[in-house]
Amino acid sequence: MAEPAEVRLELEDIQSGVLRPRPTPYASTYIGLRIDDAKAGRELIGRVSKVVTSAANPSSPLADTWVSVALTYPGLKALGVPPSSLDSFAWEFRQGMAARAKELGDTGESGPENWEAPLGATDLHVVLVAVSPDEKRLEEVLARARMAYAGMRGIKAILRQDCHASPTEKEPFGFRDGISHPAIEGSGIPGTNPKERPFKAGEFVIGYIDEMGTVQKTEPALLGRNGTYVVFRKLHQRVAEFRRYLKANSTNADDEELLAAKMMGRWRSGAPLALCPLHENPELGADSHRNNDFLYESDDAAGLHTPGGSHIRRTNPRDASIAGVARIHRMIRRGTAYGSMLPEGTLEDDGVDRGMMFDFVGAHPGRQFEFVQTQWVNDGVFFGAGKDKDPVIGSNESNSSYTVPRKPVRRRLQGLPRFVITRGGEYCFMPGLKALQ
Ligand code: HEM
């Protein structure tokens, strides 16, 4: 039987930020708006639709600069969307991130009671994100974004967050980020792992067939079609503490780097342990044709190269034998750093707030983001490591541990602290352009 023709994605109706990897380097600003008046809110959305860029025409000169818009559930309500329609959105989105805190591991210092206002509060309604390859062009894109709400009564800007990515893509702990991206059928944008089959578009965009053979729909269908969900989290990183932990648990500088790589699954350059288990390889790390070209099972079922509990293997086990099907938990990430970097070699905290604005994009926030965060990041049962959490981003407590498989005996690290603190976040819906209009 002939293979079914590839699905055609309506790129001109999908927001640019959904499918297109952001530029490197990169500068962006998040603007959070509150709608105090439904009529003004609807006018705002109409104006926003004129400044938002679609995923079509990747060769246009504007392709690297764009404005995205997303709405929270309270935002849809503030616009007057009727209950029958509201009920057709994903359950997790309707709950909001603060209500899901316990499940997500956002407790204690990371709990919503300690989040930065207005994150997690019901008055954050609309999030605009201006994206550009540099600060200079960011000003132009920001001006475009501001045009959508400037001078409007009933609309108030209540949040601003600046983010950036350096040319080396190093996040605050010092690892190259932005490497592994899935390919999506019909998007024309390639993935980064040649060994990973492209995903059905419905995994990432509402209104198309997904990996389970189902199509997500909202009421009315036009409202959701070509839209998706976005999860953003402001994650503070305790960089000095991370460095001190590596030092305290290593015998020399090389050993420190090996331990860091065993926790992440990649060396700081981005070179994967799967392809160079014994030493750093900056050339491989920077080579986008090779640095994500691997699977785990045939060479490393026991995790002697890439530990099963390392950040990249547990958040995307690829072909590793685990309970369940890894493909239905895959996500698009668009994370970027905020705050200045801690100077190299410094082991004391300088009091600067720095970390990652983590961005998830996907049509199934429950089985994608929430599943990975709750079952894979904050639990180790799925790959046989009991209660061990992600050593880099898990909600670890002072008695947490981490296992590095090794011969003849495994290495068991104890007293792993929590290196990443949640400062807040939200579940949003990113509509298609027609829905905005
Ligand atoms: C401050 C927090 C975080 C830091 C510093 C961080 C850092 C990194 C780095 C350096 C990589 C490797 C580069 C790449 O593959 O693109 C990576 C990959 C990844 N991260 Fe994170 N991350 C953070 C939070 C999260 C969260 C909250 C999730 C999901 C719940 C997540 C899911 C993933 C996934 C799915 C990958 C790709 C794995 C692969 O395909 O090999 N990360 N992260």
Side-chain angles (χ1 to χ4, degrees):
M1 207 169 75
E3 285 278 304
E6 202 182 64
V7 59
R8 200 193 78 80
L9 273 174
E10 293 160 13
L11 296 178
E12 61 293 340
D13 193 32
I14 299 172
Q15 291 195 43
S16 194
V18 175
L19 298 175
R20 180 158 313 131
R22 56 171 174 68
T24 303
Y26 156 102
S28 71
T29 299
Y30 286 65
I31 300 169
L33 303 174
R34 187 182 73 213
I35 300 171
D36 291 327
D37 171 72
K39 195 161 160 274
R42 286 193 290 272
E43 191 192 330
L44 167 77
I45 300 301
R47 286 165 69 163
V48 164
S49 73
K50 298 195 176 69
V51 298
V52 163
T53 331
S54 84
N57 306 322
S59 55
S60 124
L62 283 181
D64 269 359
T65 59
W66 66 72
V67 178
S68 297
V69 64
L71 293 120
T72 63
Y73 183 67
L76 288 182
K77 278 184 165 169
L79 286 173
V81 174
S84 58
S85 181
L86 290 171
D87 289 350
S88 66
F89 283 84
W91 181 82
E92 299 76 14
F93 165 71
R94 286 185 275 145
Q95 301 300 302
M97 191 182 285
R100 305 289 299 144
K102 209 161 142 243
E103 286 73 14
L104 298 174
D106 291 336
T107 52
E109 251 184 298
S110 290
E113 64 283 8
N114 296 316
W115 287 4
E116 286 176 14
L119 300 174
T122 50
D123 57 351
L124 179 60
H125 293 154
V126 177
V127 180
L128 296 175
V129 187
V131 172
S132 154
D134 51 52
E135 298 286 341
K136 188 175 158 283
R137 271 177 287 175
L138 179 62
E139 279 311 313
E140 293 161 24
V141 193
L142 258 179
R144 236 195 289 162
R146 282 199 198 99
M147 260 162 32
Y149 64 88
M152 281 189 76
R153 277 164 172 261
I155 305 296
K156 191 161 166 48
I158 56 171
L159 167 81
R160 178 183 170 140
Q161 176 69 53
D162 294 319
C163 301
H164 53 85
S166 73
T168 59
E169 285 282 348
K170 292 274 168 93
E171 52 72 39
F173 288 143
F175 295 91
R176 177 188 287 270
D177 200 1
I179 298 173
S180 179
H181 303 295
I184 303 157
E185 281 185 4
S187 73
I189 299 165
T192 57
N193 181 358
K195 296 187 168 59
E196 183 177 66
R197 252 185 307 124
F199 286 79
K200 296 276 175 223
E203 286 298 298
F204 303 107
V205 188
I206 297 173
Y208 299 85
I209 289 189
D210 62 23
E211 292 283 320
M212 312 278 280
T214 56
V215 179
Q216 281 238 91
K217 282 209 181 92
T218 56
E219 181 52 51
L222 175 74
L223 188 57
R225 186 164 178 84
N226 291 319
T228 191
Y229 294 99
V230 175
V231 173
F232 74 88
R233 277 163 87 69
K234 184 173 179 183
L235 301 172
H236 168 73
Q237 291 175 241
R238 290 189 165 144
V239 179
E241 186 157 6
F242 182 69
R243 289 182 187 169
R244 288 200 299 271
Y245 186 82
L246 294 177
K247 206 173 193 60
N249 288 281
S250 309
T251 46
N252 56 44
D254 285 348
D255 195 32
E256 243 178 77
E257 288 309 290
L258 178 63
L259 177 56
K262 289 287 185 184
M263 290 163 81
M264 179 57 75
R266 291 184 185 270
W267 300 90
R268 293 193 199 252
S269 71
L273 286 174
L275 299 179
C276 54
L278 301 179
H279 52 79
E280 173 59 290
N281 183 343
E283 208 184 306
L284 171 61
D287 185 344
S288 59
H289 295 292
R290 292 191 295 142
N291 63 11
N292 202 34
D293 187 357
F294 61 91
L295 297 172
Y296 296 117
E297 194 65 4
S298 57
D299 305 330
D300 192 22
L304 291 168
H305 295 169
T306 314
S310 60
H311 178 63
I312 69 156
R313 189 158 175 174
R314 68 194 303 147
T315 53
N316 179 15
R318 304 186 184 210
D319 63 331
S321 44
I322 49 151
V325 183
R327 277 180 77 78
I328 63 167
H329 309 300
R330 195 79 170 99
M331 60 179 79
I332 297 178
R333 289 169 307 128
R334 300 271 182 259
T336 43
Y338 72 88
S340 62
M341 296 290 257
L342 185 68
E344 291 266 340
T346 306
L347 294 178
E348 288 311 313
D349 189 15
D350 60 359
V352 171
D353 185 15
R354 58 174 63 83
M356 175 180 283
M357 269 304 259
F358 171 82
D359 250 324
F360 152 97
V361 178
H364 304 275
R367 71 165 157 85
Q368 293 170 329
F369 167 71
E370 281 212 351
F371 182 90
V372 173
Q373 175 73 25
T374 58
Q375 306 301 309
W376 289 357
V377 167
N378 283 332
D379 207 335
V381 169
F382 79 100
F383 69 102
K387 292 248 160 279
D388 275 12
K389 299 177 182 182
D390 188 313
V392 184
I393 70 159
S395 59
N396 288 301
E397 288 150 22
S398 51
N399 59 353
S400 296
S401 50
Y402 176 58
T403 304
V404 180
R406 220 175 38 170
K407 276 188 176 158
V409 267
R410 65 181 190 171
R411 179 166 186 204
R412 190 116 172 103
L413 288 151
Q414 304 288 355
L416 198 71
R418 186 170 187 155
F419 298 117
V420 172
I421 309 295
T422 310
R423 294 268 198 249
E426 203 38 276
Y427 289 160
C428 299
F429 165 62
M430 202 183 225
L433 271 73
K434 278 197 204 110
L436 282 173
Q437 284 151 13

